[in-house]
Amino acid sequence: MPKILDPEKLKIGYVILVAGNKFAIQKVQERAGYGKSSKWTHVAGALGGYDAIEASLPKCRLINVQKAFIDKGYEIKVLRRKYQPEKERFKVALWWATMNNLPYDVLQVCWFPLSIICGRIGIVLHNLFSSRKRFLCSELIATGFYKENDYLFGKPAENVLPADFDNPELFEEAKDIWLK
């Protein structure tokens, strides 16, 4: 029986990491030295309750976290930004929500497998084909923080990977989010 989220505990502005079945992203992260954090291959932003925004094919969309991830057997980890005032958390999440229905950045995804083979050249190509009007999942969530002048990763949003969020210096895990 799958776990059940407590919708009262999944707060607006929390970050949701997902251990998905995206082999290419996992390999890029392993090669980049993320170790155990490489298992986190997708990231979404909580909008409160069961709702979250994610960048996915074909476009950014609103999802139900319980149905999209937990009921399907995906492992998730819910994070809250350390030392972030509640007002800033709301602003970040509202920016994520405004990105609903933007197309997914498919060109960037094409460069992930190349990154496995070519390393830095793959990242250069990845940046070359990056779009300001299309996002990958980690880029969408990082940009929300950046829009509020919280440059937590010290690198461009298009270079942020899901594993970057699994950082205990920046985020703390919200463990009290389950009903059962």
Side-chain angles (χ1 to χ4, degrees), residues 73-120:
Y74 291 106
E75 179 184 357
I76 70 165
K77 184 176 187 179
V78 176
L79 306 168
R80 56 183 154 243
R81 176 76 168 108
K82 284 186 171 181
Y83 315 114
Q84 183 184 44
E86 185 176 54
K87 181 179 176 183
E88 297 304 312
R89 210 171 22 93
F90 277 71
K91 287 180 179 180
V92 169
L94 288 173
W95 185 88
W96 294 336
T98 64
M99 298 298 107
N100 193 27
N101 290 324
L102 277 181
Y104 189 69
D105 202 343
V106 177
L107 285 175
Q108 283 195 65
V109 172
C110 295
W111 297 114
F112 274 124
L114 185 61
S115 296
I116 295 170
I117 300 165
C118 301
R120 282 210 177 285

mmCIF file of all heavy atoms in Angstrom, residues 73-120:
data_model
loop_
_atom_site.group_PDB
_atom_site.id
_atom_site.type_symbol
_atom_site.label_atom_id
_atom_site.label_comp_id
_atom_site.label_asym_id
_atom_site.label_seq_id
_atom_site.Cartn_x
_atom_site.Cartn_y
_atom_site.Cartn_z
ATOM 1 N N GLY A 73 4.537 4.604 -7.381
ATOM 2 C CA GLY A 73 5.679 3.912 -6.795
ATOM 3 C C GLY A 73 7.006 4.650 -6.860
ATOM 4 O O GLY A 73 8.045 4.085 -6.534
ATOM 5 N N TYR A 74 7.005 5.912 -7.253
ATOM 6 C CA TYR A 74 8.253 6.683 -7.289
ATOM 7 C C TYR A 74 8.635 7.145 -5.883
ATOM 8 O O TYR A 74 7.773 7.571 -5.116
ATOM 9 C CB TYR A 74 8.116 7.921 -8.183
ATOM 10 C CG TYR A 74 7.985 7.612 -9.645
ATOM 11 C CD1 TYR A 74 6.765 7.741 -10.294
ATOM 12 C CD2 TYR A 74 9.083 7.199 -10.386
ATOM 13 C CE1 TYR A 74 6.637 7.464 -11.643
ATOM 14 C CE2 TYR A 74 8.965 6.919 -11.736
ATOM 15 C CZ TYR A 74 7.735 7.058 -12.350
ATOM 16 O OH TYR A 74 7.623 6.782 -13.684
ATOM 17 N N GLU A 75 9.895 7.078 -5.589
ATOM 18 C CA GLU A 75 10.403 7.615 -4.323
ATOM 19 C C GLU A 75 10.494 9.128 -4.461
ATOM 20 O O GLU A 75 10.955 9.638 -5.476
ATOM 21 C CB GLU A 75 11.789 7.040 -4.036
ATOM 22 C CG GLU A 75 12.405 7.548 -2.755
ATOM 23 C CD GLU A 75 13.831 7.049 -2.523
ATOM 24 O OE1 GLU A 75 14.341 6.254 -3.336
ATOM 25 O OE2 GLU A 75 14.429 7.485 -1.526
ATOM 26 N N ILE A 76 10.026 9.833 -3.442
ATOM 27 C CA ILE A 76 10.149 11.293 -3.448
ATOM 28 C C ILE A 76 10.849 11.755 -2.170
ATOM 29 O O ILE A 76 10.880 11.035 -1.163
ATOM 30 C CB ILE A 76 8.797 12.030 -3.605
ATOM 31 C CG1 ILE A 76 7.936 11.894 -2.344
ATOM 32 C CG2 ILE A 76 8.068 11.601 -4.858
ATOM 33 C CD1 ILE A 76 6.785 12.875 -2.286
ATOM 34 N N LYS A 77 11.369 12.957 -2.250
ATOM 35 C CA LYS A 77 11.970 13.617 -1.092
ATOM 36 C C LYS A 77 11.504 15.071 -1.151
ATOM 37 O O LYS A 77 11.671 15.729 -2.174
ATOM 38 C CB LYS A 77 13.495 13.532 -1.173
ATOM 39 C CG LYS A 77 14.225 14.092 0.016
ATOM 40 C CD LYS A 77 15.730 13.844 -0.146
ATOM 41 C CE LYS A 77 16.522 14.218 1.058
ATOM 42 N NZ LYS A 77 17.972 13.934 0.867
ATOM 43 N N VAL A 78 10.897 15.543 -0.085
ATOM 44 C CA VAL A 78 10.367 16.901 -0.038
ATOM 45 C C VAL A 78 11.327 17.771 0.763
ATOM 46 O O VAL A 78 11.734 17.419 1.867
ATOM 47 C CB VAL A 78 8.942 16.927 0.567
ATOM 48 C CG1 VAL A 78 8.432 18.346 0.692
ATOM 49 C CG2 VAL A 78 7.998 16.080 -0.286
ATOM 50 N N LEU A 79 11.677 18.901 0.169
ATOM 51 C CA LEU A 79 12.661 19.800 0.763
ATOM 52 C C LEU A 79 12.094 21.205 0.949
ATOM 53 O O LEU A 79 11.282 21.658 0.147
ATOM 54 C CB LEU A 79 13.891 19.901 -0.138
ATOM 55 C CG LEU A 79 14.569 18.598 -0.543
ATOM 56 C CD1 LEU A 79 15.565 18.841 -1.657
ATOM 57 C CD2 LEU A 79 15.236 17.967 0.660
ATOM 58 N N ARG A 80 12.570 21.875 1.980
ATOM 59 C CA ARG A 80 12.254 23.294 2.154
ATOM 60 C C ARG A 80 13.572 24.059 2.219
ATOM 61 O O ARG A 80 14.553 23.578 2.809
ATOM 62 C CB ARG A 80 11.383 23.542 3.368
ATOM 63 C CG ARG A 80 11.925 23.042 4.668
ATOM 64 C CD ARG A 80 10.932 23.289 5.813
ATOM 65 N NE ARG A 80 11.153 22.315 6.852
ATOM 66 C CZ ARG A 80 10.284 21.404 7.257
ATOM 67 N NH1 ARG A 80 9.093 21.369 6.748
ATOM 68 N NH2 ARG A 80 10.593 20.544 8.191
ATOM 69 N N ARG A 81 13.590 25.221 1.610
ATOM 70 C CA ARG A 81 14.785 26.060 1.574
ATOM 71 C C ARG A 81 15.082 26.539 2.986
ATOM 72 O O ARG A 81 14.200 27.078 3.665
ATOM 73 C CB ARG A 81 14.548 27.242 0.622
ATOM 74 C CG ARG A 81 15.676 28.243 0.560
ATOM 75 C CD ARG A 81 16.827 27.713 -0.261
ATOM 76 N NE ARG A 81 17.773 28.779 -0.559
ATOM 77 C CZ ARG A 81 18.972 28.883 -0.012
ATOM 78 N NH1 ARG A 81 19.393 27.976 0.859
ATOM 79 N NH2 ARG A 81 19.770 29.874 -0.346
ATOM 80 N N LYS A 82 16.305 26.335 3.431
ATOM 81 C CA LYS A 82 16.709 26.788 4.760
ATOM 82 C C LYS A 82 16.689 28.315 4.829
ATOM 83 O O LYS A 82 17.079 28.992 3.869
ATOM 84 C CB LYS A 82 18.120 26.290 5.093
ATOM 85 C CG LYS A 82 18.180 24.839 5.464
ATOM 86 C CD LYS A 82 19.578 24.471 5.925
ATOM 87 C CE LYS A 82 19.623 23.094 6.504
ATOM 88 N NZ LYS A 82 20.969 22.746 6.968
ATOM 89 N N TYR A 83 16.245 28.821 5.960
ATOM 90 C CA TYR A 83 16.277 30.250 6.282
ATOM 91 C C TYR A 83 15.474 31.112 5.311
ATOM 92 O O TYR A 83 15.710 32.312 5.207
ATOM 93 C CB TYR A 83 17.718 30.769 6.362
ATOM 94 C CG TYR A 83 18.632 29.850 7.132
ATOM 95 C CD1 TYR A 83 19.666 29.192 6.490
ATOM 96 C CD2 TYR A 83 18.431 29.597 8.486
ATOM 97 C CE1 TYR A 83 20.501 28.321 7.177
ATOM 98 C CE2 TYR A 83 19.253 28.736 9.179
ATOM 99 C CZ TYR A 83 20.283 28.098 8.527
ATOM 100 O OH TYR A 83 21.095 27.231 9.205
ATOM 101 N N GLN A 84 14.529 30.530 4.607
ATOM 102 C CA GLN A 84 13.720 31.294 3.657
ATOM 103 C C GLN A 84 12.447 31.773 4.348
ATOM 104 O O GLN A 84 11.665 30.952 4.843
ATOM 105 C CB GLN A 84 13.374 30.430 2.446
ATOM 106 C CG GLN A 84 12.596 31.166 1.379
ATOM 107 C CD GLN A 84 12.202 30.241 0.247
ATOM 108 O OE1 GLN A 84 11.762 29.125 0.475
ATOM 109 N NE2 GLN A 84 12.373 30.722 -0.970
ATOM 110 N N PRO A 85 12.211 33.092 4.372
ATOM 111 C CA PRO A 85 10.965 33.583 4.974
ATOM 112 C C PRO A 85 9.753 33.078 4.192
ATOM 113 O O PRO A 85 9.825 32.858 2.984
ATOM 114 C CB PRO A 85 11.079 35.111 4.839
ATOM 115 C CG PRO A 85 12.520 35.386 4.562
ATOM 116 C CD PRO A 85 13.074 34.171 3.902
ATOM 117 N N GLU A 86 8.647 32.908 4.884
ATOM 118 C CA GLU A 86 7.432 32.390 4.252
ATOM 119 C C GLU A 86 7.005 33.242 3.054
ATOM 120 O O GLU A 86 6.600 32.712 2.015
ATOM 121 C CB GLU A 86 6.302 32.323 5.276
ATOM 122 C CG GLU A 86 5.051 31.679 4.740
ATOM 123 C CD GLU A 86 3.977 31.542 5.799
ATOM 124 O OE1 GLU A 86 3.629 32.559 6.429
ATOM 125 O OE2 GLU A 86 3.486 30.415 5.974
ATOM 126 N N LYS A 87 7.138 34.545 3.172
ATOM 127 C CA LYS A 87 6.766 35.451 2.077
ATOM 128 C C LYS A 87 7.566 35.137 0.806
ATOM 129 O O LYS A 87 7.019 35.132 -0.292
ATOM 130 C CB LYS A 87 7.005 36.903 2.514
ATOM 131 C CG LYS A 87 6.635 37.932 1.498
ATOM 132 C CD LYS A 87 6.893 39.329 2.042
ATOM 133 C CE LYS A 87 6.629 40.373 0.997
ATOM 134 N NZ LYS A 87 6.938 41.725 1.484
ATOM 135 N N GLU A 88 8.844 34.849 0.968
ATOM 136 C CA GLU A 88 9.690 34.528 -0.186
ATOM 137 C C GLU A 88 9.313 33.169 -0.775
ATOM 138 O O GLU A 88 9.346 32.983 -1.991
ATOM 139 C CB GLU A 88 11.169 34.541 0.200
ATOM 140 C CG GLU A 88 11.678 35.897 0.653
ATOM 141 C CD GLU A 88 11.444 36.998 -0.363
ATOM 142 O OE1 GLU A 88 11.749 36.803 -1.552
ATOM 143 O OE2 GLU A 88 10.923 38.065 0.037
ATOM 144 N N ARG A 89 8.951 32.235 0.076
ATOM 145 C CA ARG A 89 8.513 30.918 -0.382
ATOM 146 C C ARG A 89 7.278 31.050 -1.274
ATOM 147 O O ARG A 89 7.180 30.428 -2.326
ATOM 148 C CB ARG A 89 8.190 30.055 0.852
ATOM 149 C CG ARG A 89 8.411 28.607 0.676
ATOM 150 C CD ARG A 89 8.300 27.775 1.960
ATOM 151 N NE ARG A 89 7.559 28.274 3.081
ATOM 152 C CZ ARG A 89 6.275 28.023 3.321
ATOM 153 N NH1 ARG A 89 5.572 27.288 2.501
ATOM 154 N NH2 ARG A 89 5.682 28.502 4.398
ATOM 155 N N PHE A 90 6.349 31.915 -0.875
ATOM 156 C CA PHE A 90 5.143 32.151 -1.661
ATOM 157 C C PHE A 90 5.493 32.787 -3.007
ATOM 158 O O PHE A 90 4.947 32.397 -4.039
ATOM 159 C CB PHE A 90 4.173 33.058 -0.895
ATOM 160 C CG PHE A 90 3.327 32.328 0.101
ATOM 161 C CD1 PHE A 90 3.871 31.815 1.260
ATOM 162 C CD2 PHE A 90 1.976 32.145 -0.127
ATOM 163 C CE1 PHE A 90 3.101 31.136 2.182
ATOM 164 C CE2 PHE A 90 1.191 31.467 0.792
ATOM 165 C CZ PHE A 90 1.749 30.965 1.946
ATOM 166 N N LYS A 91 6.396 33.749 -3.010
ATOM 167 C CA LYS A 91 6.777 34.426 -4.254
ATOM 168 C C LYS A 91 7.419 33.461 -5.247
ATOM 169 O O LYS A 91 7.129 33.504 -6.439
ATOM 170 C CB LYS A 91 7.737 35.582 -3.967
ATOM 171 C CG LYS A 91 7.091 36.767 -3.327
ATOM 172 C CD LYS A 91 8.155 37.839 -3.107
ATOM 173 C CE LYS A 91 7.620 39.079 -2.484
ATOM 174 N NZ LYS A 91 8.705 40.073 -2.296
ATOM 175 N N VAL A 92 8.303 32.608 -4.753
ATOM 176 C CA VAL A 92 8.970 31.618 -5.610
ATOM 177 C C VAL A 92 7.919 30.705 -6.238
ATOM 178 O O VAL A 92 7.910 30.473 -7.448
ATOM 179 C CB VAL A 92 10.013 30.804 -4.809
ATOM 180 C CG1 VAL A 92 10.500 29.606 -5.603
ATOM 181 C CG2 VAL A 92 11.189 31.691 -4.413
ATOM 182 N N ALA A 93 7.012 30.192 -5.417
ATOM 183 C CA ALA A 93 5.984 29.264 -5.911
ATOM 184 C C ALA A 93 5.023 29.944 -6.874
ATOM 185 O O ALA A 93 4.593 29.339 -7.858
ATOM 186 C CB ALA A 93 5.230 28.663 -4.735
ATOM 187 N N LEU A 94 4.695 31.189 -6.628
ATOM 188 C CA LEU A 94 3.812 31.905 -7.559
ATOM 189 C C LEU A 94 4.480 32.084 -8.914
ATOM 190 O O LEU A 94 3.826 31.991 -9.956
ATOM 191 C CB LEU A 94 3.378 33.244 -6.968
ATOM 192 C CG LEU A 94 2.381 33.143 -5.818
ATOM 193 C CD1 LEU A 94 2.135 34.513 -5.187
ATOM 194 C CD2 LEU A 94 1.068 32.514 -6.273
ATOM 195 N N TRP A 95 5.789 32.304 -8.916
ATOM 196 C CA TRP A 95 6.487 32.393 -10.203
ATOM 197 C C TRP A 95 6.427 31.049 -10.922
ATOM 198 O O TRP A 95 6.150 31.004 -12.120
ATOM 199 C CB TRP A 95 7.945 32.838 -10.016
ATOM 200 C CG TRP A 95 8.592 33.039 -11.344
ATOM 201 C CD1 TRP A 95 8.587 34.187 -12.092
ATOM 202 C CD2 TRP A 95 9.294 32.052 -12.120
ATOM 203 N NE1 TRP A 95 9.233 33.966 -13.289
ATOM 204 C CE2 TRP A 95 9.682 32.672 -13.335
ATOM 205 C CE3 TRP A 95 9.621 30.729 -11.914
ATOM 206 C CZ2 TRP A 95 10.387 31.991 -14.325
ATOM 207 C CZ3 TRP A 95 10.324 30.049 -12.899
ATOM 208 C CH2 TRP A 95 10.696 30.687 -14.084
ATOM 209 N N TRP A 96 6.662 29.949 -10.185
ATOM 210 C CA TRP A 96 6.555 28.618 -10.806
ATOM 211 C C TRP A 96 5.179 28.457 -11.453
ATOM 212 O O TRP A 96 5.066 27.992 -12.576
ATOM 213 C CB TRP A 96 6.719 27.499 -9.777
ATOM 214 C CG TRP A 96 8.049 27.368 -9.132
ATOM 215 C CD1 TRP A 96 9.260 27.785 -9.624
ATOM 216 C CD2 TRP A 96 8.320 26.777 -7.867
ATOM 217 N NE1 TRP A 96 10.259 27.473 -8.733
ATOM 218 C CE2 TRP A 96 9.704 26.852 -7.642
ATOM 219 C CE3 TRP A 96 7.523 26.174 -6.901
ATOM 220 C CZ2 TRP A 96 10.310 26.360 -6.500
ATOM 221 C CZ3 TRP A 96 8.115 25.685 -5.753
ATOM 222 C CH2 TRP A 96 9.503 25.777 -5.550
ATOM 223 N N ALA A 97 4.133 28.854 -10.720
ATOM 224 C CA ALA A 97 2.760 28.680 -11.213
ATOM 225 C C ALA A 97 2.520 29.464 -12.504
ATOM 226 O O ALA A 97 1.771 29.012 -13.372
ATOM 227 C CB ALA A 97 1.763 29.093 -10.147
ATOM 228 N N THR A 98 3.166 30.605 -12.661
ATOM 229 C CA THR A 98 2.969 31.395 -13.884
ATOM 230 C C THR A 98 3.601 30.732 -15.102
ATOM 231 O O THR A 98 3.313 31.118 -16.230
ATOM 232 C CB THR A 98 3.535 32.823 -13.746
ATOM 233 O OG1 THR A 98 4.952 32.767 -13.579
ATOM 234 C CG2 THR A 98 2.882 33.577 -12.610
ATOM 235 N N MET A 99 4.442 29.747 -14.879
ATOM 236 C CA MET A 99 5.105 29.060 -15.998
ATOM 237 C C MET A 99 4.286 27.884 -16.530
ATOM 238 O O MET A 99 4.689 27.207 -17.465
ATOM 239 C CB MET A 99 6.493 28.545 -15.568
ATOM 240 C CG MET A 99 7.439 29.660 -15.159
ATOM 241 S SD MET A 99 7.789 30.807 -16.505
ATOM 242 C CE MET A 99 6.859 32.248 -16.003
ATOM 243 N N ASN A 100 3.106 27.665 -15.955
ATOM 244 C CA ASN A 100 2.247 26.573 -16.409
ATOM 245 C C ASN A 100 1.958 26.720 -17.907
ATOM 246 O O ASN A 100 1.704 27.816 -18.386
ATOM 247 C CB ASN A 100 0.943 26.584 -15.610
ATOM 248 C CG ASN A 100 0.152 25.322 -15.782
ATOM 249 O OD1 ASN A 100 0.700 24.262 -16.051
ATOM 250 N ND2 ASN A 100 -1.145 25.430 -15.623
ATOM 251 N N ASN A 101 2.043 25.630 -18.622
ATOM 252 C CA ASN A 101 1.776 25.518 -20.062
ATOM 253 C C ASN A 101 2.912 25.973 -20.971
ATOM 254 O O ASN A 101 2.750 25.956 -22.186
ATOM 255 C CB ASN A 101 0.479 26.233 -20.460
ATOM 256 C CG ASN A 101 -0.738 25.508 -19.942
ATOM 257 O OD1 ASN A 101 -0.765 24.287 -19.902
ATOM 258 N ND2 ASN A 101 -1.733 26.252 -19.512
ATOM 259 N N LEU A 102 4.052 26.392 -20.425
ATOM 260 C CA LEU A 102 5.194 26.687 -21.304
ATOM 261 C C LEU A 102 5.723 25.378 -21.884
ATOM 262 O O LEU A 102 5.751 24.358 -21.192
ATOM 263 C CB LEU A 102 6.322 27.371 -20.533
ATOM 264 C CG LEU A 102 6.222 28.862 -20.320
ATOM 265 C CD1 LEU A 102 7.445 29.361 -19.567
ATOM 266 C CD2 LEU A 102 6.076 29.610 -21.619
ATOM 267 N N PRO A 103 6.191 25.388 -23.121
ATOM 268 C CA PRO A 103 6.736 24.154 -23.712
ATOM 269 C C PRO A 103 7.983 23.683 -22.966
ATOM 270 O O PRO A 103 8.752 24.483 -22.442
ATOM 271 C CB PRO A 103 7.092 24.545 -25.144
ATOM 272 C CG PRO A 103 6.453 25.859 -25.378
ATOM 273 C CD PRO A 103 6.204 26.502 -24.051
ATOM 274 N N TYR A 104 8.170 22.375 -22.938
ATOM 275 C CA TYR A 104 9.358 21.768 -22.354
ATOM 276 C C TYR A 104 10.539 21.996 -23.295
ATOM 277 O O TYR A 104 10.376 22.011 -24.515
ATOM 278 C CB TYR A 104 9.109 20.266 -22.171
ATOM 279 C CG TYR A 104 10.173 19.540 -21.385
ATOM 280 C CD1 TYR A 104 10.333 19.775 -20.029
ATOM 281 C CD2 TYR A 104 10.992 18.599 -21.982
ATOM 282 C CE1 TYR A 104 11.282 19.093 -19.292
ATOM 283 C CE2 TYR A 104 11.938 17.907 -21.252
ATOM 284 C CZ TYR A 104 12.079 18.165 -19.905
ATOM 285 O OH TYR A 104 13.020 17.491 -19.190
ATOM 286 N N ASP A 105 11.735 22.145 -22.757
ATOM 287 C CA ASP A 105 12.913 22.412 -23.582
ATOM 288 C C ASP A 105 13.513 21.104 -24.099
ATOM 289 O O ASP A 105 14.498 20.601 -23.574
ATOM 290 C CB ASP A 105 13.947 23.219 -22.797
ATOM 291 C CG ASP A 105 14.902 23.952 -23.707
ATOM 292 O OD1 ASP A 105 14.977 23.598 -24.905
ATOM 293 O OD2 ASP A 105 15.569 24.882 -23.239
ATOM 294 N N VAL A 106 12.916 20.576 -25.146
ATOM 295 C CA VAL A 106 13.318 19.295 -25.713
ATOM 296 C C VAL A 106 14.751 19.338 -26.251
ATOM 297 O O VAL A 106 15.502 18.373 -26.112
ATOM 298 C CB VAL A 106 12.344 18.859 -26.835
ATOM 299 C CG1 VAL A 106 12.785 17.563 -27.474
ATOM 300 C CG2 VAL A 106 10.937 18.729 -26.275
ATOM 301 N N LEU A 107 15.161 20.457 -26.839
ATOM 302 C CA LEU A 107 16.530 20.542 -27.377
ATOM 303 C C LEU A 107 17.577 20.319 -26.294
ATOM 304 O O LEU A 107 18.588 19.662 -26.523
ATOM 305 C CB LEU A 107 16.762 21.890 -28.056
ATOM 306 C CG LEU A 107 16.105 22.064 -29.416
ATOM 307 C CD1 LEU A 107 16.321 23.486 -29.926
ATOM 308 C CD2 LEU A 107 16.640 21.060 -30.414
ATOM 309 N N GLN A 108 17.345 20.853 -25.114
ATOM 310 C CA GLN A 108 18.307 20.639 -24.029
ATOM 311 C C GLN A 108 18.385 19.166 -23.648
ATOM 312 O O GLN A 108 19.459 18.648 -23.368
ATOM 313 C CB GLN A 108 17.932 21.461 -22.798
ATOM 314 C CG GLN A 108 18.274 22.929 -22.927
ATOM 315 C CD GLN A 108 18.231 23.601 -21.586
ATOM 316 O OE1 GLN A 108 19.035 23.276 -20.725
ATOM 317 N NE2 GLN A 108 17.315 24.523 -21.403
ATOM 318 N N VAL A 109 17.246 18.494 -23.622
ATOM 319 C CA VAL A 109 17.234 17.076 -23.260
ATOM 320 C C VAL A 109 18.070 16.261 -24.232
ATOM 321 O O VAL A 109 18.735 15.302 -23.854
ATOM 322 C CB VAL A 109 15.780 16.542 -23.212
ATOM 323 C CG1 VAL A 109 15.757 15.041 -23.043
ATOM 324 C CG2 VAL A 109 15.031 17.206 -22.081
ATOM 325 N N CYS A 110 18.063 16.661 -25.488
ATOM 326 C CA CYS A 110 18.843 15.933 -26.501
ATOM 327 C C CYS A 110 20.333 15.969 -26.201
ATOM 328 O O CYS A 110 21.070 15.073 -26.606
ATOM 329 C CB CYS A 110 18.588 16.512 -27.884
ATOM 330 S SG CYS A 110 16.885 16.285 -28.439
ATOM 331 N N TRP A 111 20.768 16.985 -25.487
ATOM 332 C CA TRP A 111 22.210 17.107 -25.213
ATOM 333 C C TRP A 111 22.636 16.332 -23.972
ATOM 334 O O TRP A 111 23.824 16.125 -23.752
ATOM 335 C CB TRP A 111 22.604 18.575 -25.088
ATOM 336 C CG TRP A 111 22.368 19.263 -26.387
ATOM 337 C CD1 TRP A 111 21.459 20.255 -26.636
ATOM 338 C CD2 TRP A 111 22.989 18.981 -27.643
ATOM 339 N NE1 TRP A 111 21.486 20.594 -27.959
ATOM 340 C CE2 TRP A 111 22.415 19.837 -28.604
ATOM 341 C CE3 TRP A 111 23.959 18.080 -28.070
ATOM 342 C CZ2 TRP A 111 22.788 19.825 -29.943
ATOM 343 C CZ3 TRP A 111 24.329 18.069 -29.403
ATOM 344 C CH2 TRP A 111 23.743 18.936 -30.314
ATOM 345 N N PHE A 112 21.703 15.856 -23.142
ATOM 346 C CA PHE A 112 22.093 15.074 -21.973
ATOM 347 C C PHE A 112 22.875 13.821 -22.342
ATOM 348 O O PHE A 112 23.938 13.564 -21.781
ATOM 349 C CB PHE A 112 20.891 14.718 -21.103
ATOM 350 C CG PHE A 112 20.538 15.783 -20.114
ATOM 351 C CD1 PHE A 112 19.263 16.319 -20.096
ATOM 352 C CD2 PHE A 112 21.460 16.260 -19.205
ATOM 353 C CE1 PHE A 112 18.927 17.308 -19.194
ATOM 354 C CE2 PHE A 112 21.135 17.241 -18.294
ATOM 355 C CZ PHE A 112 19.856 17.768 -18.298
ATOM 356 N N PRO A 113 22.401 12.991 -23.298
ATOM 357 C CA PRO A 113 23.203 11.811 -23.654
ATOM 358 C C PRO A 113 24.583 12.187 -24.201
ATOM 359 O O PRO A 113 25.568 11.500 -23.937
ATOM 360 C CB PRO A 113 22.360 11.110 -24.727
ATOM 361 C CG PRO A 113 20.972 11.574 -24.474
ATOM 362 C CD PRO A 113 21.097 12.976 -23.960
ATOM 363 N N LEU A 114 24.656 13.292 -24.922
ATOM 364 C CA LEU A 114 25.946 13.753 -25.435
ATOM 365 C C LEU A 114 26.877 14.147 -24.281
ATOM 366 O O LEU A 114 28.081 13.929 -24.354
ATOM 367 C CB LEU A 114 25.746 14.934 -26.388
ATOM 368 C CG LEU A 114 26.999 15.443 -27.090
ATOM 369 C CD1 LEU A 114 27.611 14.343 -27.957
ATOM 370 C CD2 LEU A 114 26.672 16.647 -27.948
ATOM 371 N N SER A 115 26.298 14.685 -23.220
ATOM 372 C CA SER A 115 27.112 15.058 -22.060
ATOM 373 C C SER A 115 27.794 13.851 -21.439
ATOM 374 O O SER A 115 28.895 13.950 -20.910
ATOM 375 C CB SER A 115 26.246 15.746 -21.005
ATOM 376 O OG SER A 115 25.736 16.945 -21.492
ATOM 377 N N ILE A 116 27.124 12.704 -21.482
ATOM 378 C CA ILE A 116 27.715 11.485 -20.932
ATOM 379 C C ILE A 116 28.997 11.152 -21.685
ATOM 380 O O ILE A 116 30.009 10.795 -21.104
ATOM 381 C CB ILE A 116 26.726 10.309 -21.031
ATOM 382 C CG1 ILE A 116 25.509 10.585 -20.153
ATOM 383 C CG2 ILE A 116 27.380 9.003 -20.622
ATOM 384 C CD1 ILE A 116 24.372 9.611 -20.368
ATOM 385 N N ILE A 117 28.941 11.311 -22.992
ATOM 386 C CA ILE A 117 30.078 10.961 -23.843
ATOM 387 C C ILE A 117 31.130 12.063 -23.859
ATOM 388 O O ILE A 117 32.321 11.794 -23.749
ATOM 389 C CB ILE A 117 29.597 10.682 -25.286
ATOM 390 C CG1 ILE A 117 28.606 9.517 -25.287
ATOM 391 C CG2 ILE A 117 30.760 10.409 -26.219
ATOM 392 C CD1 ILE A 117 27.797 9.389 -26.561
ATOM 393 N N CYS A 118 30.699 13.305 -23.960
ATOM 394 C CA CYS A 118 31.626 14.414 -24.222
ATOM 395 C C CYS A 118 31.958 15.275 -23.010
ATOM 396 O O CYS A 118 32.808 16.146 -23.118
ATOM 397 C CB CYS A 118 31.054 15.305 -25.312
ATOM 398 S SG CYS A 118 30.754 14.448 -26.850
ATOM 399 N N GLY A 119 31.292 15.099 -21.912
ATOM 400 C CA GLY A 119 31.584 15.899 -20.725
ATOM 401 C C GLY A 119 31.308 17.375 -20.937
ATOM 402 O O GLY A 119 30.201 17.775 -21.233
ATOM 403 N N ARG A 120 32.322 18.207 -20.804
ATOM 404 C CA ARG A 120 32.181 19.664 -20.890
ATOM 405 C C ARG A 120 31.622 20.141 -22.235
ATOM 406 O O ARG A 120 30.857 21.090 -22.275
ATOM 407 C CB ARG A 120 33.513 20.342 -20.625
ATOM 408 C CG ARG A 120 33.884 20.409 -19.166
ATOM 409 C CD ARG A 120 34.729 21.667 -18.980
ATOM 410 N NE ARG A 120 35.105 21.926 -17.633
ATOM 411 C CZ ARG A 120 34.294 22.406 -16.696
ATOM 412 N NH1 ARG A 120 33.043 22.585 -16.938
ATOM 413 N NH2 ARG A 120 34.749 22.672 -15.493
#
